[in-house]
Amino acid sequence: MSGHSKWATTKHKKAVIDARRAKSFAKLIKNIEVAAKVGGPDPAGNPTLADAIQKAKKTSVPNDNIDRAVKRGGGLSGDSVDYQTIMYEGYGPAGVALLIECLTDNKNRAAAEVRTIMSRNGGQMADPGSVAYNFSRKGVVSVSKTDGVSEDDILLAVLEAGAEEVIDRGGGFEVITDPSLLVEARKAIQDAGIDYDAAEAEFLATVNVEPDLEGVRKALALVDALEDCDDVQTVFTNMKVTEDVAKALEESD
């Protein structure tokens, strides 16, 4: 029976991974559609679209899906795309601040689903502006760690493009810049012959909280539940996981 149980567990995990992958693809496709609608279907003249396509390709979204999304968003296929961007604010377990960015074609549905998920997972909604002050909008260019590319190489490439700092995230580097200089920073990295994974505006926390192991588990469960919602595009938090807690999480998985 143990072998059967192991197979059942493996099969379940694969189903979960496949489902999340499909949701990730759908969110990336939405980004492409919106970028093409706002700035036109030509990536050469639409940096936001170019970056949305790049991120989708790095996440292995099929080229046919990408092409169809560009045509839909750009109005070249006869389909209409009408999404609204809405930001909800709230607090999760252990006082973790949350900015929940939705991209939806039904504002009422998105609001109801976010509220339900928050209440079921130990979170609570907050008034507009009461959480956002904990975050600053920044341009972020993500670069994977590869042989021959060091932090100094990236710093040298982006210094004149107005980058504020380069952060080592373990598995890769993040170039932080003012949102208005995001395209310049990304272009500087490309001109230096360095490949990038994504370039987009994000909300970075100015003040972090460091929950204990149980707090991190509960907060991550809430974030996972929110990200499983079709209308939720991105969840930003001010949670910082300490090395001890990260190690304990790995050992318990």
Side-chain angles (χ1 to χ4, degrees):
M1 290 299 291
S2 62
H4 173 76
S5 298
K6 184 178 179 183
W7 162 244
T9 303
T10 303
K11 190 176 180 182
H12 172 70
K13 284 183 178 177
K14 183 180 184 303
V16 170
I17 290 170
D18 287 347
R20 286 190 173 168
R21 188 166 179 252
K23 283 186 180 291
S24 172
F25 279 14
K27 293 177 194 291
L28 292 167
I29 289 297
K30 266 190 191 179
N31 278 341
I32 292 171
E33 290 173 346
V34 171
K37 181 176 182 178
V38 173
D42 181 10
N46 184 347
T48 304
L49 177 60
D51 290 331
I53 291 172
Q54 170 76 354
K55 187 176 182 181
K57 287 183 174 180
K58 286 289 184 177
T59 318
S60 302
V61 176
N63 287 332
D64 286 349
N65 296 40
I66 291 172
D67 292 341
R68 283 196 294 271
V70 171
K71 288 176 181 176
R72 269 197 307 273
L76 304 177
S77 64
D79 298 328
S80 61
V81 174
D82 187 21
Y83 294 117
Q84 282 181 285
T85 300
I86 310 164
M87 189 72 77
Y88 295 107
E89 303 178 31
Y91 288 98
V96 173
L98 300 168
L99 288 184
I100 306 156
E101 188 175 50
C102 292
L103 197 55
T104 181
D105 57 2
N106 189 322
K107 184 178 179 180
N108 292 333
R109 181 190 65 216
E113 290 189 357
V114 168
R115 287 182 183 280
T116 299
I117 293 168
M118 290 286 279
S119 64
R120 286 179 178 173
N121 291 273
Q124 61 183 54
M125 303 298 290
D127 293 331
S130 62
V131 173
Y133 75 91
N134 288 298
F135 297 82
S136 291
R137 193 160 178 80
K138 296 290 184 182
V140 181
V141 185
S142 303
V143 180
S144 292
K145 284 189 176 179
T146 55
D147 292 338
V149 178
S150 67
E151 185 174 343
D152 287 341
D153 293 331
I154 297 171
L155 193 57
L156 192 64
V158 299
L159 215 49
E160 290 186 10
E164 296 175 8
E165 61 179 327
V166 176
I167 301 174
D168 188 337
R169 295 296 191 193
F173 301 105
E174 285 185 350
V175 178
I176 311 300
T177 183
D178 186 272
S180 64
L181 299 174
L182 177 60
V183 175
E184 289 182 41
R186 185 256 286 164
K187 188 175 184 304
I189 288 172
Q190 288 178 299
D191 290 346
I194 300 170
D195 194 21
Y196 78 103
D197 294 330
E200 53 197 337
E202 298 184 12
F203 286 94
L204 302 184
T206 53
V207 179
N208 292 299
V209 296
E210 298 181 355
D212 59 15
L213 178 59
E214 191 58 27
V216 168
R217 278 201 178 111
K218 289 179 179 179
L220 288 177
L222 171 57
V223 171
D224 283 345
L226 286 166
E227 290 183 339
D228 276 343
C229 175
D230 291 338
D231 287 322
V232 174
Q233 198 71 2
T234 316
V235 180
F236 302 100
T237 83
N238 69 341
M239 179 171 66
K240 183 177 180 181
V241 181
T242 64
E243 289 186 18
D244 290 344
V245 170
K247 185 178 179 182
L249 278 173
E250 287 177 13
E251 290 174 351
S252 63
D253 286 344

